Amino acid sequence: MSTNRTFTMIKPDAVENGHIGGILDKITSAGFKIVAMKYTQLSRRDAQAFYAIHKERPFFGELVDFMTRGPIVSAILEKDNAVEDFRALIGATNPADAAEGTIRKLFATSIAENAVHGSDSDENAAIEGAFHFAGREIF
Ligand code: CMP
């Protein structure tokens, strides 16, 4: 995967609250091209593996419950400087700290249910994209 790609999920809270369209509009309006996308639901095993880095955190069980409770939209996005620019677009992890106009400020409700995921590095973007998509699903 090129270094100009990042990985995102529209999380179950945002799907439940009817924000798929609003969030995709913010993403494409900011210049990101969608190169892979699916509507899916994580199993507990998927979520435990995806968030393995957080397994010692006190909120790990809550995080797995949340991320598996309903469907998500997962996607790979392409743009110059994709990882950094996407993290700016989504805003701080806690929506209370997120800047005006960011996706989390607009659509998230709490630090746990924060509407979207964005990869934190090029390396993790590649790992996370490959976790969710087969090569033939990426354009
Ligand atoms: P994200 O940064 O995408 O990936 C880790 C997730 O863990 C984070 O979004 C939140 O959904 C969740 N998370 C982070 N901090 C907390 C917390 N203090 N309590 C509950 N969930 C959290």
Side-chain angles (χ1 to χ4, degrees), residues 9 11 13 50-51 53-54 57-60 62-64 66-67 87 90-94 104 110-120 128:
M9 293 181 284
K11 298 184 180 183
D13 60 321
F50 186 86
Y51 286 111
I53 194 167
H54 296 305
R57 302 283 192 101
F59 58 80
F60 185 67
E62 181 189 347
L63 175 60
V64 171
F66 164 53
M67 287 302 299
R87 288 178 73 80
I90 65 179
T93 301
N94 187 345
R104 284 174 170 155
S110 70
I111 189 168
E113 304 204 358
N114 62 0
V116 281
H117 170 83
S119 303
D120 63 5
E128 292 168 1

Side-chain angles (χ1 to χ4, degrees), residues 10-20 39 66 69-71 113:
I10 300 176
K11 298 184 180 183
D13 60 321
V15 174
E16 289 160 9
N17 292 329
H19 295 318
I20 294 174
Y39 187 62
F66 164 53
R69 81 173 183 220
E113 304 204 358

